[in-house]
Amino acid sequence: MRFITVLGATGSIGSSTLSLVAQHPDRFSIFALSAHQQIEKMAHLCQQFHPRIVCVQNQSQVKILKDLLGSACPAVVYGENGLIEIASDPSTDTVVAAIVGAAGLAPTLAAARAGKTVLLANKEALVVAGPLFIDAVKNHNCTLLPIDSEHNALLQCLPKNFNDANAVEVDSLLLTASGGPFWRRDHATLDQVSVAEAIHHPKWTMGQKISIDSATMVNKGLEVIEARWLFNMPSTKIKVVIHPQSIIHSIVNYCDGSSLAQMGAPDMKIPISHVLDYPNRIFSGVAPLDFSQLSELTFAAPDHQRFPALSLCYRSLDSGQIACTHLNAANEVAVAAFLNEQIKFTQITQTIETVLHQSIRETGLCESLEEIIEQDKIARKNAHHFIQSSLDQLRR
Ligand code: NAD
Ligand code: MG
């Protein structure tokens, strides 16, 4: 029996994870769950999964949850300390990191430092703190397995020592990208896209932030950085190809000319089920592909002019960890501003570019979580400043 903590239980990845847990009550038991805003949904999850402890955002939510559940309410903690507590508790062995954004870093790092099996959806944790995170994994005997579909595909195609792909016979890692909703859209009209258009991903149903990241292709850039740390590969050996059907989830090219790919329906229950009882495979409820119905699999090089964010991510990776921390923070601020209809779609990438330009000399490495949080704050301030001055200019 695995005792599981799900950080971000009310989100898209959290829900897919819990539906798999519900299918396998003989293998998995929920130790802890976290939610940020959806307290009623959390109350339902408590009734269904009977966690021993849950984490919510603040004290007033603790009261709401206790009122909703009465004597059936589990122990409730709150805030970042609460998240760290449920991620590192000795009674849990597996932590699903499914909080969105840099907010997931502290608890995910705590899980790594406590030597847990960490099933990572929260790619931002690796983008923001790659070297520190990987050191924690190595020094504390943590098993880090990717949920992100591309990285999970690579895990499935790599040999057992996957976390040092550069040392095995790998020529390159090829991340596939659907291209998002706009890969064929007229470049000149991108500044007019609405939130509804940007959020509507052609192939995947996901949370709001990652849907926007997919539309700008920041998501693929974050995934290049994620792959660099998960598989210890230099950026020159991590490539991206557009594959609009989202059937091949990524490819490992070997030095002898062989390419191994993982295929499946675009459903996150596949990669989650692959790591949930790793290395055993479990029933996911997703049917295998019907190849007789697959009319075509197509591929194209990414258009860096249309999606400059991808190049910005490669540039940040080559500049160093602080640039990646700034890139992520600027993107989080800009995506929130776009979702609030404060800035245009194209200004998301402009915000990132401006913030990175300001941090161009920041080539160093943070030694601690505190230093990373400090850098994250600087970049958020710069991003807010750029957005505010753009708004002021519009008003003039
Ligand atoms: P989501 O928005 O659906 O869910 C996010 C979860 O995080 C929710 O449970 C929310 O309560 C919690 N959360 C949000 N802000 C928080 C904060 N400040 N503090 C604590 N908790 C907070 O997002 P999602 O689509 O499930 O994505 C989660 C992570 O998984 C992201 O990093 C995303 O990039 C990654 N991911 C998602 C998918 C997908 O298909 N959805 C695929 C690959 C990777
Ligand atoms: Mg992905």
Side-chain angles (χ1 to χ4, degrees), residues 335-382:
V335 169
F338 173 69
L339 288 170
N340 284 331
E341 300 184 342
Q342 287 177 298
I343 60 170
K344 293 177 184 173
F345 179 73
T346 43
Q347 286 180 300
I348 299 175
T349 306
Q350 284 167 19
T351 308
I352 298 172
E353 191 164 15
T354 307
V355 170
L356 284 177
H357 189 70
Q358 285 159 344
S359 60
I360 203 87
R361 283 178 300 276
E362 302 280 12
T363 52
L365 200 72
C366 295
E367 306 272 330
S368 68
L369 179 59
E370 292 68 31
E371 285 177 50
I372 288 174
I373 292 169
E374 195 51 42
Q375 290 297 332
D376 174 89
K377 274 191 193 150
I378 293 171
R380 278 174 205 264
K381 203 170 137 208
N382 291 345

Side-chain angles (χ1 to χ4, degrees), residues 156-359:
Q156 296 198 40
C157 298
L158 281 165
K160 276 207 176 80
N161 54 339
F162 66 88
N163 47 13
D164 201 1
N166 202 27
V168 291
E169 317 81 358
V170 174
D171 170 75
S172 56
L173 304 177
L174 186 55
L175 301 175
T176 53
S178 70
F182 304 135
W183 84 283
R184 281 185 184 282
R185 184 170 166 138
D186 178 6
H187 191 207
T189 68
L190 279 179
D191 62 346
Q192 288 153 31
V193 307
S194 67
V195 170
E197 284 175 305
I199 236 163
H200 182 72
H201 196 279
K203 292 289 172 194
W204 299 90
T205 311
M206 311 181 283
Q208 285 194 328
K209 193 249 176 193
I210 185 177
S211 298
I212 302 299
D213 286 352
S214 301
T216 54
M217 284 206 61
V218 165
N219 182 51
K220 208 50 54 182
L222 299 181
E223 291 183 353
V224 168
I225 303 171
E226 183 185 10
R228 189 264 170 266
W229 296 113
L230 278 172
F231 305 115
N232 191 27
M233 282 296 264
S235 63
T236 48
K237 291 187 171 189
I238 306 169
K239 298 182 177 149
V240 172
V241 68
I242 305 285
H243 166 50
Q245 294 83 14
S246 295
I247 293 293
I248 292 183
H249 298 300
S250 277
I251 298 162
V252 177
N253 293 319
Y254 282 91
C255 63
D256 59 1
S258 284
S259 297
L260 297 194
Q262 184 264 345
M263 306 168 85
D267 187 324
M268 288 307 291
K269 285 202 280 303
I270 297 178
I272 299 170
S273 66
H274 176 250
V275 290
L276 210 49
D277 201 22
Y278 187 83
N280 306 310
R281 288 194 186 255
I282 58 168
F283 181 73
S284 74
V286 185
L289 294 168
D290 177 354
F291 284 86
S292 67
Q293 297 299 312
L294 277 183
S295 55
E296 59 174 6
L297 297 177
T298 57
F299 304 91
D303 178 344
H304 287 268
Q305 265 196 324
R306 182 187 298 256
F307 298 110
L310 189 55
S311 309
L312 289 174
C313 293
Y314 272 104
R315 239 166 60 200
S316 304
L317 184 52
D318 292 337
S319 299
Q321 176 253 304
I322 294 182
C324 295
T325 309
H326 284 216
L327 163 94
N328 179 73
N331 182 52
E332 287 191 27
V333 171
V335 169
F338 173 69
L339 288 170
N340 284 331
E341 300 184 342
Q342 287 177 298
I343 60 170
K344 293 177 184 173
F345 179 73
T346 43
Q347 286 180 300
I348 299 175
T349 306
Q350 284 167 19
T351 308
I352 298 172
E353 191 164 15
T354 307
V355 170
L356 284 177
H357 189 70
Q358 285 159 344
S359 60

Side-chain angles (χ1 to χ4, degrees), residues 29-73:
S29 173
I30 291 297
F31 169 72
L33 299 174
S34 89
H36 196 56
Q37 268 161 349
Q38 295 170 275
I39 295 305
E40 284 189 12
K41 188 165 178 183
M42 175 56 101
H44 288 301
L45 294 179
C46 288
Q47 286 160 340
Q48 191 183 354
F49 292 97
H50 308 290
R52 291 241 305 273
I53 181 165
V54 299
C55 182
V56 294
Q57 192 186 348
N58 52 37
Q59 259 176 321
S60 62
Q61 288 185 347
V62 175
K63 184 173 179 322
I64 298 172
L65 191 67
K66 286 189 170 165
D67 288 348
L68 283 169
L69 290 171
S71 60
C73 192

Side-chain angles (χ1 to χ4, degrees), residues 380-395:
R380 278 174 205 264
K381 203 170 137 208
N382 291 345
H384 281 297
H385 181 75
F386 171 72
I387 290 170
Q388 195 52 51
S389 20
S390 315
L391 290 175
D392 291 347
Q393 255 174 15
L394 266 183
R395 280 196 205 104

